[in-house]
């Protein structure tokens, strides 16, 4: 790495350790060499417009412009011994592939959106209520998902920045950041956000599942794969609700925090974390796993000392969380056993699908944490002790694969949650003797699925991977999960997000260049400080301050997993 000479050199990164970037796209490596590869797949940079670099200008360029890569028509008609430059030929094919992916993603997303609106309008949703109510719930869920995803990016990007300079220009954002910077409120927000994200997904599944809708003469197998697995809802939520808000928030986090409703969503996340229902049963499972299937020599982090009153309150939360989660789990098992699920499979098929979803979701959640924790560690240090983890990290840190994994994982997490809901929605299940409103609030809105998925699949995997990332990645199945996510990102299913984001930036979310310059200047200053510290310590790590994603434990302390500064918190559903 070149020495610092008064100018921050933190904008360059080695291609082998490139995470998902929020503070600007990669330009040069530490030696000043250009890292761009013409035959790479499209790189998804949350701070880059789709018209730049690999992506076609304006999303739908004229195909005739591509032929300029080969010269004029007269040039093409020259004698056969005049060969076309292979590099230009690769660029041409790459651009065609990119154009095809944007077209496929746009057509698929808009078709699925039309299908969902048609199903809601014709009253086919499994959630009881009039179509107008279902439509309002659908819009509300999309908006809330957008807030939750965008707030995570914005808060993690600005939590170390002083809000005083925005006190007058961004009054709502100033109020929100001031609240977040108090105590462990960032951790509280992240835990509450995780519950609300999974709950909103389950509620969305209630209004976008239409078991009795007409198949329009489509083959049952095709209908099952592309409709009944929950793929329509997953694609629409990923492209319109999730990734769009992340892109906008990464562009201008202050403006996103200043939106009306952001502070109210923050308060909702605080309230969810206070109850303890979301986390305490998960900590019981983690204790069991550490003594059975995940035995590690690394000790857990010490717990904070509590008073007698605090210990009694914690014990009550453990009991309440255990009773609620186990009751909901028993309800789900009973519904599947009695063949009440809307997924058109026999009981054993639904059980196997649900179990597979939980395993896949655990791998996706844990692998994200493990890769971000180990990203800046030399794989040679654990090549012998953890051979499968070594092979996985060599693949993950190759070129832009960390970034591609996180995007592919984002889509897969949402899709699996929708598939889980197809296994756990029971519209015909009898609930005689229970008040209709009580049943609607406690069961039909999706709380059983949300809490069960969160406590059995998501939180334990994240915290165990944080405890021993190498052991987690050395387990069978982790490498396959990485490959599937990379393949999913390469298909471009979520590319319609950039079309929607471009429209948003041209209408209601106009980007102020001055604000962006201030953010980049702040990040460069912080990175330069971190780089000087690392040079003084004679380390070889890439410069940059570390960013964290935190999950609070039951006693209020935080379990931290550290990644690079520009990989903070994307991809979590």
């Amino acid at each position: 790495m070149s020495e610092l000479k008064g100018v921050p050199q933190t904008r360059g990164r080695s291609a082998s350790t490139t995470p998902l970037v929020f503070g600007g796209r990669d330009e040069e490596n530490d030696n000043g060499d250009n890292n761009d590869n013409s035959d790479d797949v499209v790189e998804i940079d949350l701070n880059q417009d789709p018209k730049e670099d690999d992506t076609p200008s304006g999303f739908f360029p004229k195909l005739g412009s591509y032929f300029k890569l080969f010269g004029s028509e007269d040039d093409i008609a020259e004698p056969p011994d005049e060969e076309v430059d292979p590099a230009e030929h690769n660029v041409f094919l790459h651009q065609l592939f990119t154009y095809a992916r944007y077209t496929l993603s746009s057509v698929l997303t808009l078709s699925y959106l039309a299908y969902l609106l048609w199903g809601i309008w014709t009253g086919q949703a499994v959630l009881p209520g009039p179509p107008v109510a279902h439509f309002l719930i659908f819009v509300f869920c999309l908006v809330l998902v957008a807030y939750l995803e965008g707030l995570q990016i914005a808060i993690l990007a600005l939590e170390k920045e002083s809000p005083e300079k925005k006190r007058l220009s961004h009054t709502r954002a100033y109020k929100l950041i001031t609240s977040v910077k108090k105590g462990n409120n960032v951790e509280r927000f992240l835990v509450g956000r995780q519950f609300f994200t999974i709950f909103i997904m389950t509620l969305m599944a209630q209004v976008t599942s239409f078991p009795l809708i007409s198949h329009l003469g489509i083959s049952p197998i095709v209908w099952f794969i592309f409709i009944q697995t929950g793929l329509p809802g997953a694609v629409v939520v990923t492209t319109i609700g999730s990734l769009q808000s992340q892109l906008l928030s990464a562009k201008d986090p202050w403006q996103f925090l200043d939106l009306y409703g952001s502070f109210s969503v923050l308060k909702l996340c605080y309230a969810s974390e206070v109850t303890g229902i979301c986390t305490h049963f998960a900590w019981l499972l983690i204790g069991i796993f550490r003594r059975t299937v995940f035995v590690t020599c690394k000790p857990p982090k010490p717990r904070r000392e509590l008073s007698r009153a605090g210990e009694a309150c914690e014990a009550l939360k453990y009991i309440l969380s255990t009773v609620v989660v186990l009751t909901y789990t028993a309800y789900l098992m009973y519904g599947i056993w009695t063949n009440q699920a809307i997924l058109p499979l026999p009981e054993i098929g639904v059980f196997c699908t649900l179990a597979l979803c939980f395993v896949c979701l655990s791998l996706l959640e844990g692998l994200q944490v493990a890769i971000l924790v180990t990203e800046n560690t030399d794989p040679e240090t654990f090549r012998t002790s953890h051979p499968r983890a070594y092979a996985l990290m060599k693949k993950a840190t190759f070129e832009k694969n960390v970034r591609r994994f996180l995007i592919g994982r984002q889509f897969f997490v949402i899709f699996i949650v929708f598939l889980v809901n197809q296994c756990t929605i029971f519209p015909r299940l009898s609930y005689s003797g229970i008040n209709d409103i009580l049943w609607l609030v406690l069961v039909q809105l999706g709380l059983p699925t949300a809490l069960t998925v969160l406590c059995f699949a998501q939180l334990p995997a994240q915290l165990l991977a944080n405890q021993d990332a190498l052991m987690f990645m050395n387990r069978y199945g982790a490498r396959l999960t990485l490959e599937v996510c990379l393949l999913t990102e390469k298909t471009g299913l979520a590319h319609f997000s950039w079309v929607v984001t471009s429209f948003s930036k041209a209408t209601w979310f106009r980007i102020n260049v001055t604000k962006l310059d201030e953010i980049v200047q702040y990040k460069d200053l912080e990175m330069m400080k971190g780089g000087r510290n690392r040079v003084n310590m004679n380390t070889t790590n890439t410069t940059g301050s570390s960013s964290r994603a935190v999950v609070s434990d039951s006693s209020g302390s935080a379990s931290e997993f550290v990644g690079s500064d520009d990989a903070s918190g994307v991809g979590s559903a």
Side-chain angles (χ1 to χ4, degrees):
M1 180 179 295
S2 58
E3 296 181 356
L4 295 172
K5 298 181 180 179
V7 179
Q9 300 184 14
T10 58
R11 302 287 296 193
R13 297 180 60 94
S14 170
S16 62
T17 58
T18 305
L20 191 59
V21 179
F22 299 130
R25 68 178 189 271
D26 302 328
E27 296 172 358
E28 297 179 351
N29 61 16
D30 293 342
N31 296 323
D33 297 328
N34 196 314
N35 282 330
D36 291 336
N37 295 320
S38 61
D39 57 350
D40 278 348
V41 297
V42 174
E43 299 166 3
I44 301 177
D45 190 333
L46 294 188
N47 218 6
Q48 172 180 315
D49 291 330
K51 64 183 179 182
E52 299 176 356
D53 292 342
D54 307 74
T55 53
S57 176
F59 297 106
F60 301 105
K62 297 180 179 179
L63 287 175
S65 64
Y66 289 132
F67 291 99
K68 294 180 181 179
L69 297 172
F70 295 98
S72 64
E73 293 180 2
D74 295 335
D75 296 332
I76 299 176
E78 289 179 355
D81 58 345
E82 185 80 12
E83 295 182 356
V84 178
D85 186 355
E88 292 183 348
H89 182 66
N90 289 337
V91 170
F92 173 75
L93 295 178
H94 176 59
Q95 294 286 0
L96 283 180
F97 180 56
T98 300
Y99 176 79
R101 292 198 295 177
Y102 272 101
T103 303
L104 174 63
S105 177
S106 301
V107 172
L108 187 65
T109 303
L110 293 176
S111 299
Y112 276 151
L113 180 61
Y115 163 76
L116 296 179
L117 295 178
W118 174 53
I120 292 174
W121 182 257
T122 55
Q124 301 291 333
V126 297
L127 187 70
V132 174
H134 294 161
F135 176 76
L136 294 177
I137 292 174
F138 177 76
V139 175
F140 169 77
C141 289
L142 279 179
V143 172
L144 188 54
V145 166
Y147 270 111
L148 292 168
E149 297 288 358
L151 280 178
Q152 181 191 31
I153 301 301
I155 288 174
L156 292 178
L158 301 177
E159 63 171 318
K160 295 180 181 179
E161 185 174 352
S162 173
E164 291 301 323
K165 60 183 180 181
K166 301 292 184 180
R167 185 169 189 171
L168 299 178
S169 60
H170 297 73
T171 55
R172 291 181 295 274
Y174 172 82
K175 179 181 177 182
L176 190 150
I177 281 293
T178 303
S179 172
V180 165
K181 292 170 73 71
K182 294 179 181 178
N184 66 336
N185 281 349
V186 172
E187 292 84 353
R188 292 178 57 203
F189 159 73
L190 291 173
V191 174
R193 172 204 163 274
Q194 188 150 9
F195 165 74
F196 264 108
T197 301
I198 189 70
F199 172 67
I200 288 301
M201 298 297 177
T202 59
L203 181 57
M204 175 79 78
Q206 302 287 327
V207 298
T208 58
S209 297
F210 318 122
L212 302 179
I213 201 169
S214 172
H215 292 190
L216 303 175
I218 300 175
S219 168
I221 297 178
V222 174
W223 187 264
F224 174 79
I225 295 174
F226 290 97
I227 301 295
Q228 291 182 304
T229 56
L231 191 59
V235 170
V236 171
V237 171
T238 302
T239 55
I240 298 178
S242 180
L243 280 180
Q244 179 197 189
S245 62
Q246 292 180 2
L247 292 164
L248 294 174
S249 182
K251 275 291 186 182
D252 192 345
W254 282 111
Q255 183 172 340
F256 193 94
L257 294 181
D258 206 49
L259 294 175
Y260 289 102
S262 294
F263 193 74
S264 299
V265 174
L266 180 72
K267 289 295 185 181
L268 282 176
C269 295
Y270 287 165
S272 173
E273 188 274 337
V274 167
T275 63
I277 295 178
C278 308
T279 57
H280 283 57
F281 180 75
W283 279 101
L284 289 178
L285 287 181
I286 291 169
I288 296 173
F289 290 154
R290 282 174 177 168
R291 292 168 175 81
T292 54
V293 297
F294 201 86
V295 179
T296 175
C297 59
K298 296 184 178 181
K301 294 186 177 182
R303 295 181 55 184
R304 186 183 60 176
E305 294 294 332
L306 297 174
S307 63
R308 285 191 173 183
E311 290 180 352
C313 182
E314 288 299 313
L316 182 61
K317 289 182 179 180
Y318 271 108
I319 295 173
L320 178 62
S321 177
T322 302
V323 170
V324 170
V325 173
L326 291 182
T327 301
Y328 278 151
T329 304
Y331 162 77
L332 297 181
M333 296 300 102
Y334 173 75
I336 296 175
W337 183 257
T338 56
N339 197 22
Q340 300 292 329
I342 63 175
L343 192 69
L345 292 175
E347 297 90 332
I348 187 64
V350 177
F351 270 119
C352 292
T353 302
L354 184 64
L356 181 62
C357 287
F358 272 53
V359 172
C360 292
L361 196 56
S362 298
L363 288 170
L364 290 166
E365 296 289 355
L367 191 58
Q368 179 199 26
V369 175
I371 288 178
L372 293 180
V373 167
T374 319
E375 183 185 2
N376 293 325
T377 303
D378 184 6
E380 297 299 329
T381 60
F382 53 85
R383 181 172 187 171
T384 304
S385 60
H386 299 80
R388 287 185 293 274
Y390 168 80
L392 187 150
M393 285 305 299
K394 292 292 287 186
K395 177 71 174 182
T397 55
F398 177 73
E399 294 183 348
K400 313 294 183 183
N401 280 349
V402 171
R403 175 184 316 185
R404 294 165 183 157
F405 160 73
L406 292 174
I407 294 295
R409 173 201 164 274
Q410 178 95 349
F411 168 78
F412 249 100
V413 167
I414 295 176
F415 169 66
I416 288 176
V417 170
F418 272 84
L419 182 55
V420 166
N421 277 274
Q422 303 303 305
C423 301
T424 57
I425 294 177
F426 316 124
R428 303 185 306 273
L429 190 64
S430 174
Y431 57 96
S432 58
I434 302 178
N435 182 269
D436 291 345
I437 298 179
L438 188 64
W439 182 262
L440 174 67
V441 173
L442 297 181
V443 176
Q444 290 184 306
L445 291 182
L447 275 176
T449 303
L451 286 177
T452 303
V453 169
L454 186 67
C455 293
F456 280 100
Q458 289 188 309
L459 287 181
Q462 291 176 350
L463 296 172
L464 289 174
N466 183 42
Q467 178 73 18
D468 194 334
L470 294 181
M471 177 179 287
F472 191 95
M473 290 189 295
N474 207 51
R475 296 299 176 93
Y476 291 102
R479 176 61 184 272
L480 178 61
T481 304
L482 173 67
E483 297 289 352
V484 171
C485 290
L486 294 177
L487 179 62
T488 302
E489 188 277 332
K490 191 173 183 179
T491 63
L493 285 174
H495 277 40
F496 185 68
S497 298
W498 278 261
V499 180
V500 181
T501 303
S502 180
F503 174 79
S504 298
K505 288 192 295 183
T507 54
W508 61 274
F509 198 90
R510 294 187 177 274
I511 304 297
N512 189 316
V513 179
T514 304
K515 299 173 186 176
L516 294 181
D517 290 341
E518 291 177 359
I519 294 171
V520 172
Q521 182 181 10
Y522 169 78
K523 289 185 176 180
D524 284 343
L525 179 61
E526 291 297 314
M527 289 181 176
M528 183 176 66
K529 293 177 182 178
R532 287 175 176 170
N533 292 336
R534 284 168 173 76
V535 170
N536 292 335
M537 296 171 61
N538 295 321
T539 62
T540 59
N541 290 339
T542 303
T543 58
S545 58
S546 63
S547 61
R548 67 183 185 278
V550 189
V551 179
S552 296
D553 63 18
S554 56
S555 62
S557 61
S559 295
E560 248 179 51
F561 45 91
V562 180
S564 60
D565 181 64
D566 46 2
S568 53
V570 160
S572 297

